[in-house]
Amino acid sequence: MVVFGLLTTFLPVVIIIFVIVYAVKNKEMGDEAVIRHLYTYLVLFATLMMVIGGGISIFMAAADLVSPPSYYQSYEDYKQIHQEGKAPGQKTLSEQELRANYEQAVTDEKNRNKEGAKNQIIKSLGFIVIPLPIFLYFNKMRKRKSDE
């Protein structure tokens, strides 16, 4: 969370400084050419950041898929909650039934985490598949302009 706060604070400042330095450095090119180059570099920067963010998100989701987070409720806590929550007249579960229900809850939680990780991987692919062609197109366009 601290990194996100620092990023949102300093990133606009860095972009503004980059724009000013680039405009001053390339004053002889003409206003339209400078704006065109700045636009190209900003699009390249934004799409590259999206691709990097998508890659990081895929890595984190793959880690959750391989090693899902642990189930934090102990059997004793589970047992206590289910014994106290009984309404009068409800049958009490045997120790084996209670243990089987607990094991099923643990298994269900791990499966839910794995499904969430798969879903996150699919969503994160969008952050790579969508901006990557845009990045490649603008980079090709930038190289073509610099070769002229």
Side-chain angles (χ1 to χ4, degrees):
M1 208 47 134
V2 174
V3 173
F4 183 70
L6 290 174
L7 186 64
T8 57
T9 304
F10 292 115
L11 190 61
V13 173
V14 169
I15 290 174
I16 290 170
I17 290 172
F18 172 76
V19 168
I20 292 171
V21 168
Y22 188 81
V24 169
K25 183 179 174 186
N26 296 307
K27 201 185 285 187
E28 68 277 352
M29 286 175 54
D31 290 340
E32 186 177 322
V34 169
I35 291 172
R36 186 172 291 140
H37 279 93
L38 280 175
Y39 177 75
T40 301
Y41 285 121
L42 287 175
V43 168
L44 286 170
F45 177 75
T47 54
L48 183 62
M49 290 298 108
M50 290 175 74
V51 169
I52 290 171
I56 291 169
S57 183
I58 285 176
F59 180 79
M60 290 171 43
D64 283 344
L65 187 63
V66 171
S67 177
S70 300
Y71 188 71
Y72 292 107
Q73 188 178 26
S74 69
Y75 173 69
E76 294 303 320
D77 292 339
Y78 182 83
K79 181 178 174 181
Q80 184 179 11
I81 289 170
H82 283 281
Q83 287 176 345
E84 289 177 0
K86 293 287 180 197
Q90 269 188 327
K91 77 171 194 166
T92 56
L93 298 174
S94 69
E95 190 72 23
Q96 290 87 7
E97 290 173 329
L98 201 56
R99 176 62 82 169
N101 288 349
Y102 173 74
E103 295 298 329
Q104 185 63 43
V106 170
T107 304
D108 291 345
E109 183 66 22
K110 284 185 179 183
N111 288 338
R112 193 173 11 265
N113 286 333
K114 284 184 179 183
E115 290 301 317
K118 289 177 188 175
N119 190 8
Q120 184 63 38
I121 288 173
I122 293 169
K123 289 178 187 176
S124 298
L125 280 173
F127 277 94
I128 293 175
V129 171
I130 295 169
L132 188 61
I134 297 168
F135 176 83
L136 295 174
Y137 172 76
F138 273 84
N139 196 32
K140 183 178 176 183
M141 189 173 68
R142 179 190 62 84
K143 285 181 182 177
R144 194 174 338 128
K145 292 286 184 188
S146 66
D147 289 343
E148 291 177 357

